[in-house]
Amino acid sequence: MEMHPILQIGSDVELTIARSAQRRPISWRLLWETIGGGGFSFNVTTLTFDESYSPLFSDFNIQRSPDDKTARLLLNRLSGSGIISSDYYKYGFFSASIKMPSRYTAGIVVAFYTSNVDTFERNHDELDIEFLGNVEGKAWRFQTNVYGNGSVSRGREERYRMWFDPSKDSHRYSILWTPTNIIFYVDEIPIREVIRNAAMRGDYPSKPMSVYATIWDASSWATSGGKKKVDYRYQPFVAEFRDLVLEGCIVDPVDQLLSSNCTDITAALMARDFAAVTPRRRQSMAWFRQRYMYYSYCYDNVRYPVSPPECVVVPSEREMFRSSGGLRGSARFGGGSGGGRSRRRRSGRNARRRSGPG
C-alpha cells in the first residue's frame, strides 16, 4: 500500500475555496477558475449519433435531435432505454455532456460506462459512471467503479455528491482508459485516478470494450437502499446526451494482437493533455474528494482488511472515513445510502432483442 503526504493547496487558493465551500452549492466554474484552469477545455472532436452510437434497447424511447448531435434517453412505464458505441475500443477517451432528469428521480439510474460483457461474459471488463436519482428536493449522487477480468466480487467503487444540480444544465463526464492509468472526469476536473499496479494482474481492464449510455429503473437499490421507488406519475424521465466523444483505437473484440497503427494511436492518446493529472489538476481533485466523496473502497477495512494494491492512501482522506469506508458521523449528509456494492444491471448487445435491461 502506497502512502502519500497530505495534498496541500496554496494558502490563497485554499482560503478562496474554503469561503466558497461555505456557500454551497459551489459553481464548478468558480472552482476551476480558482485553481487556475479558467478558460481551459479539452481539445476533442464531437460526433453525431450516426457516427458514434447505435440503439441498444428500446428504440422507441430514444429521441434524436434534427442535427443528430443529441440523443434523449427516456424511461417510462414501458421501459428504460440505452445506446451502444458502434465499435469496440482498445483504450481511449470517452465523453458526453449529460443533463439528468429533474424533480422526483428516486430509483432511477443513468449510466455512462464501458464494458465487454457481451463478448466476455465470464471475465468481462468495465468502467462505470453511474448517476443515482433521489426524491424531490434531495440531490443526485453518482459513483464510479472499475472491474477487470470478471472481478465483480472485488468491486472498486467510490461514491460522491455533486457540487451542482445536474438536472439544470449539461455537464461533461469523461472516462480516460490507457494501458497505465484510468481517470474519471467531471467537466475538466479529475475526480479519480487509478494507476495500474502489477499486483492488480487481470483486475486492470485490458480487453476491448464498447461504450454505453443507459437509463433504467433500479428501484430495488438505487435510492435509500431501495426504500424509495421510481414514481411513474413523473414520467417520462429524460436523460440528454450530447457532445459525444469517442477517441481511441477501434479493434475487433476477439483480436488481441494490436497492430502497429493501434500502438501509434494509443501512444498519441497517452500524450494528450487529459491523459495526466497535472499538479494543478491534483489540487482540484483533492478539493473535490475531500468535500464530496462519501465512500471509497480503499478505506473500507471491513470489506478489504488489506487494501487493494492500487489504492493510494491520502491521510486527509483517511481521516474522513470509518473502517467501513463510509463517512464519519461529523462528515455525513442526508439523502444517500452508505458505501457498498453496486447492484447494477448490465446489458450487452443482445439486449437489442429485449424491451429493457435484464
Side-chain angles (χ1 to χ4, degrees):
M1 181 191 309
E2 185 179 355
M3 295 294 293
H4 274 202
I6 295 177
L7 295 170
Q8 295 291 342
I9 302 177
S11 57
D12 292 341
V13 171
E14 193 168 42
L15 178 60
T16 302
I17 288 176
R19 287 173 176 168
S20 299
Q22 295 172 5
R23 300 189 300 271
R24 290 179 178 146
I26 184 174
S27 163
W28 77 268
R29 297 184 187 279
L30 173 60
L31 166 63
W32 195 230
E33 291 169 2
T34 299
I35 62 172
F40 173 79
S41 61
F42 294 142
N43 182 21
V44 293
T45 301
T46 59
L47 304 170
T48 65
F49 185 90
D50 267 345
E51 292 172 326
S52 52
Y53 285 90
S54 302
L56 175 65
F57 64 93
S58 301
D59 301 34
F60 56 85
N61 269 352
I62 301 172
Q63 300 175 348
R64 294 159 61 175
S65 64
D67 63 6
D68 206 35
K69 294 182 178 180
T70 300
R72 301 172 80 238
L73 305 186
L74 276 62
L75 166 67
N76 53 30
R77 291 184 187 275
L78 296 176
S79 176
S81 54
I83 58 178
I84 184 172
S85 62
S86 303
D87 297 295
Y88 285 84
Y89 294 85
K90 176 76 171 185
Y91 306 120
F93 180 78
F94 315 114
S95 183
S97 293
I98 311 172
K99 184 177 181 182
M100 301 298 159
S102 60
R103 300 183 66 191
Y104 188 99
T105 57
I108 295 172
V109 169
V110 175
F112 181 65
Y113 64 105
T114 68
S115 180
N116 49 33
V117 68
D118 55 331
T119 303
F120 305 99
E121 186 174 352
R122 295 185 178 180
N123 62 335
H124 82 283
D125 304 319
E126 192 165 320
L127 299 171
D128 295 335
I129 305 178
E130 291 183 316
F131 305 91
L132 312 177
N134 217 329
V135 297
E136 193 163 5
K138 295 282 184 76
W140 279 81
R141 296 145 299 132
F142 72 111
Q143 60 189 26
T144 60
N145 213 332
V146 175
Y147 297 108
N149 210 31
S151 59
V152 294
S153 63
R154 296 187 297 280
R156 291 170 159 84
E157 70 267 24
E158 291 185 346
R159 290 190 175 188
Y160 324 91
R161 295 177 289 157
M162 293 181 172
W163 63 97
F164 53 83
D165 184 344
S167 69
K168 291 191 177 300
D169 297 293
S170 294
H171 288 263
R172 178 174 290 283
Y173 306 92
S174 308
I175 300 171
L176 171 77
W177 171 45
T178 80
T180 59
N181 70 330
I182 296 161
I183 304 175
F184 295 92
Y185 283 96
V186 176
D187 292 312
E188 283 76 39
I189 298 175
I191 62 164
R192 177 182 182 183
E193 181 181 30
V194 178
I195 298 175
R196 189 171 193 169
N197 185 304
M200 292 181 72
R201 301 182 181 179
D203 281 6
Y204 189 89
S206 59
K207 297 184 292 294
M209 291 192 278
S210 300
V211 184
Y212 296 77
T214 58
I215 182 171
W216 52 283
D217 184 331
S219 291
S220 63
W221 67 271
T223 308
S224 300
K227 295 178 181 178
K228 301 296 183 180
K229 313 292 185 182
V230 175
D231 187 341
Y232 286 102
R233 292 178 299 175
Y234 295 89
Q235 69 172 358
F237 304 98
V238 180
E240 184 176 283
F241 290 76
R242 60 180 178 83
D243 300 329
L244 308 174
V245 175
L246 300 174
E247 294 193 2
C249 188
I250 298 173
V251 297
D252 185 306
V254 296
D255 180 9
Q256 295 298 298
L257 298 176
L258 296 181
S259 67
S260 58
N261 183 48
C262 206
T263 301
D264 293 343
I265 292 174
T266 302
L269 174 74
M270 296 174 68
R272 296 289 297 275
D273 179 74
F274 49 65
V277 180
T278 64
R280 194 165 291 279
R281 285 187 192 145
R282 198 163 295 281
Q283 291 177 355
S284 64
M285 184 164 69
W287 183 91
F288 168 81
R289 293 175 66 82
Q290 291 174 16
R291 287 163 177 78
Y292 294 98
M293 180 170 67
Y294 69 93
Y295 172 82
S296 174
Y297 74 104
C298 284
Y299 303 115
D300 191 339
N301 300 131
V302 174
R303 188 174 170 193
Y304 297 111
V306 177
S307 295
E310 74 281 0
C311 286
V312 175
V313 173
V314 179
S316 56
E317 291 181 5
R318 168 73 275 181
E319 294 172 0
M320 295 164 49
F321 295 101
R322 304 186 306 266
S323 60
S324 62
L327 288 177
R328 296 184 185 277
S330 60
R332 294 184 68 186
F333 67 98
S337 57
R341 296 171 177 82
S342 162
R343 289 167 284 178
R344 57 163 307 185
R345 299 180 185 180
R346 294 173 173 79
S347 298
R349 278 180 163 78
N350 60 0
R352 300 182 198 204
R353 298 191 293 271
R354 302 197 298 266
S355 62

